[in-house]
Amino acid sequence: MPDRYLRYGDQRYIITKEAEQRLNRALDTVYAEGSRGHEWLSLYHGSDAPCRLLIATGVPITIETVPALDD
């Protein structure tokens, strides 16, 4: 199974499918008509390693897939 990463600006974070779904909802909110233009995303929701990212217009965000060695 390939590893998936969220590239946020010049940083890279491991991302799960659940976190990607929350990211998509945050992006929908950020770019919705009449939004305040930003939304906080807890990347590792409910874990001991909290990581909050400010999702805002103009911040480069991509999802990268890196094939696993056995793929």
Side-chain angles (χ1 to χ4, degrees), residues 27-49:
L27 287 168
D28 287 345
T29 300
V30 166
Y31 287 98
E33 177 94 20
S35 87
R36 61 181 177 228
H38 68 277
E39 189 77 22
W40 284 101
L41 172 70
S42 294
L43 193 56
Y44 306 123
H45 188 70
S47 79
D48 290 336

Side-chain angles (χ1 to χ4, degrees), residues 4-69:
R4 295 175 54 78
Y5 296 93
L6 168 68
R7 177 146 321 257
Y8 176 84
D10 63 350
Q11 298 293 315
R12 192 167 88 161
Y13 303 91
I14 294 172
I15 190 166
T16 64
K17 288 287 186 180
E18 188 252 348
E20 188 173 353
Q21 290 170 348
R22 286 188 282 109
L23 171 63
N24 288 332
R25 287 191 299 270
L27 287 168
D28 287 345
T29 300
V30 166
Y31 287 98
E33 177 94 20
S35 87
R36 61 181 177 228
H38 68 277
E39 189 77 22
W40 284 101
L41 172 70
S42 294
L43 193 56
Y44 306 123
H45 188 70
S47 79
D48 290 336
C51 178
R52 291 184 67 204
L53 302 175
L54 182 63
I55 307 303
T57 57
V59 176
I61 298 172
T62 57
I63 301 292
E64 299 175 350
T65 302
V66 178
L69 294 176

